[in-house]
Amino acid sequence: MADDQDKSQQTEEASDKRLEDARKKGQVPSSKEPSTAISFLVLSLIAVTGLGGWLADILMQVMRDYLSGKSTMETTGKGMQNLLISTGADMAMVILPIAIPILLLGMLVTFMVSGPVFTFETLQPKLEKISPLKGFKRLFSTKSLAELIKSILKLTIISVICYITVSGLFPQILHSALKDPSDIATLAVSGSIKIVTLVAIIFGFMALADVLYQRWEHMKSMRMSKKEQRDEHKESEGDPQLKSKIRQIQMQQAQNRMMADVPKADVVITNPTRLAIALAYEPGSIGAPRVLAKGQGHIAAKIREIARENRIPLRENKPLARSLFKHVEIGDEIPEELFEAIAVILAEIFRLKQR
């Protein structure tokens, strides 16, 4: 009941992180149907291209040699070894032209369906794999039922195609007893090619449909609930409350450093109560005056308080205060267009200091 409830809550599409984590565990959409379709396709191509006739000639020659006794070896260790090598080479000539294309095409299609997957997760021993209860559940699961239905459907398709093909060739089969053995072989090959070709075409469409279905089923099983999305976001981005606390601490530290520089200022420009900007200038230096601290509201009040405690002059200039607060960052020099206004204020302050 809990599982059904969890499934019903999984209404959101899977995130890239969830799909990547599943891929690392070997959980990817997979289908067995392309391999079956490729096997029949290769057999059909071998028969149509004439390679089948060449393979049949080789197989008949091998059988003729062994049945006639030409390939009989001495019953010694060396003779038996030579016999096994010769037999293996002959069988390889027949099997490899069929097996290699099937293997390579199967790997290509698997790569196209599932993508690159390199994981040892599926090879690790797990208790649930040998659990009788888990095995019983897998045996009677929806996936097992679907595989059974597909197997029955494939068997039915092959049977129907064989019946239709043989029915079409039935008049020729009846008169085959009066024909030459080569004509009988040609008839058998022709019927086999028709069966394999039709099966390959139909299984190809079945494989395409199954691949699309497996991808849809995989994405469906990877869906997430809103809670899982929030938890994943917290895990990847960090807890919002913790990040807010860190930002608050960082701002407090920056504010403390800024307040520690206020006593070094030569003048504080005010708005007069809302803004406060502390400026410092070293006479004779090639640089322009710098902003040591700035703030508004309670921070501006704190800057003015520190300035009074350290006997730093305060000058009210609303346009200048707004320009400095808006356009100049802490630690930067003032822009050229404000030189004249600030030079007048600093000149007055330095004259008072000299007196």
Side-chain angles (χ1 to χ4, degrees), residues 31-331:
S31 175
K32 300 177 182 177
E33 303 309 318
S35 301
T36 306
I38 287 173
S39 300
F40 281 99
L41 176 64
V42 171
L43 292 175
S44 176
L45 292 176
I46 287 176
V48 172
T49 56
L51 184 60
W54 177 72
L55 293 176
D57 292 340
I58 293 177
L59 186 60
M60 290 178 64
Q61 183 63 39
V62 171
M63 294 179 64
R64 188 181 297 113
D65 291 343
Y66 284 106
L67 293 176
S68 63
K70 292 182 179 180
S71 298
T72 304
M73 300 290 180
E74 297 180 1
T75 56
T76 61
K78 186 65 175 179
M80 294 302 296
Q81 182 179 357
N82 294 335
L83 178 61
L84 289 174
I85 294 174
S86 175
T87 305
D90 293 336
M91 296 305 298
M93 292 183 64
V94 178
I95 296 174
L96 290 181
I98 301 175
I100 291 178
I102 291 176
L103 178 63
L104 294 178
L105 288 174
M107 293 172 62
L108 176 62
V109 171
T110 301
F111 180 83
M112 293 174 63
V113 172
S114 304
V117 180
F118 302 98
T119 179
F120 296 98
E121 185 78 19
T122 54
L123 301 178
Q124 295 179 0
K126 296 181 180 179
L127 292 177
E128 61 181 18
K129 293 182 179 180
I130 58 175
S131 172
L133 182 60
K134 294 286 185 180
F136 185 79
K137 288 182 179 180
R138 286 194 298 268
L139 184 62
F140 293 96
S141 63
T142 305
K143 187 174 182 179
S144 299
L145 179 61
E147 292 296 329
L148 177 62
I149 293 175
K150 285 193 293 185
S151 299
I152 295 175
L153 181 61
K154 288 189 288 186
L155 181 60
T156 303
I157 289 174
I158 294 175
S159 301
V160 170
I161 291 176
C162 289
Y163 174 76
I164 294 174
T165 304
V166 172
S167 298
L169 298 175
F170 194 71
Q172 301 179 45
I173 295 174
L174 289 178
H175 297 86
S176 61
L178 305 176
K179 294 183 179 181
D180 190 80
S182 61
D183 294 333
I184 298 175
T186 302
L187 180 62
V189 171
S190 175
S192 301
I193 291 175
K194 288 182 179 179
I195 292 173
V196 172
T197 303
L198 288 174
V199 170
I201 294 173
I202 294 176
F203 276 25
F205 285 107
M206 287 183 60
L208 178 60
D210 189 65
V211 167
L212 296 177
Y213 170 77
Q214 293 296 338
R215 286 189 173 182
W216 174 82
E217 181 68 23
H218 177 71
M219 294 303 296
K220 181 182 177 183
S221 65
M222 289 287 105
R223 285 179 181 174
M224 308 170 66
S225 64
K226 293 184 180 297
K227 182 178 182 303
E228 288 175 332
Q229 282 190 334
R230 289 194 299 268
D231 293 342
E232 183 182 281
H233 182 73
K234 286 182 180 180
E235 181 181 350
S236 58
E237 300 294 335
D239 190 346
Q241 294 181 353
L242 180 59
K243 291 177 67 177
S244 176
K245 187 67 175 177
I246 293 174
R247 284 197 300 268
Q248 183 179 353
I249 293 174
Q250 290 174 342
M251 291 175 62
Q252 185 65 40
Q253 291 175 345
Q255 182 178 327
N256 292 338
R257 289 193 297 268
M258 180 182 70
M259 293 302 179
D261 290 336
V262 173
K264 304 175 186 176
D266 294 308
V267 65
V268 174
I269 309 297
T270 64
N271 195 19
T273 57
R274 194 172 68 87
L275 299 177
I277 299 94
L279 300 176
Y281 177 68
E282 184 178 351
S285 66
I286 60 174
R290 290 184 304 110
V291 174
L292 297 182
K294 69 176 184 176
Q296 59 182 343
H298 71 280
I299 298 178
K302 185 67 175 176
I303 293 174
R304 291 195 300 270
E305 179 184 349
I306 297 175
R308 292 191 187 99
E309 291 175 356
N310 292 271
R311 297 185 178 183
I312 297 172
L314 278 72
R315 292 293 182 268
E316 179 182 342
N317 190 323
K318 294 181 180 180
L320 181 58
R322 284 195 295 266
S323 297
L324 289 170
F325 185 82
K326 184 177 181 180
H327 299 294
V328 186
E329 297 298 327
I330 298 172

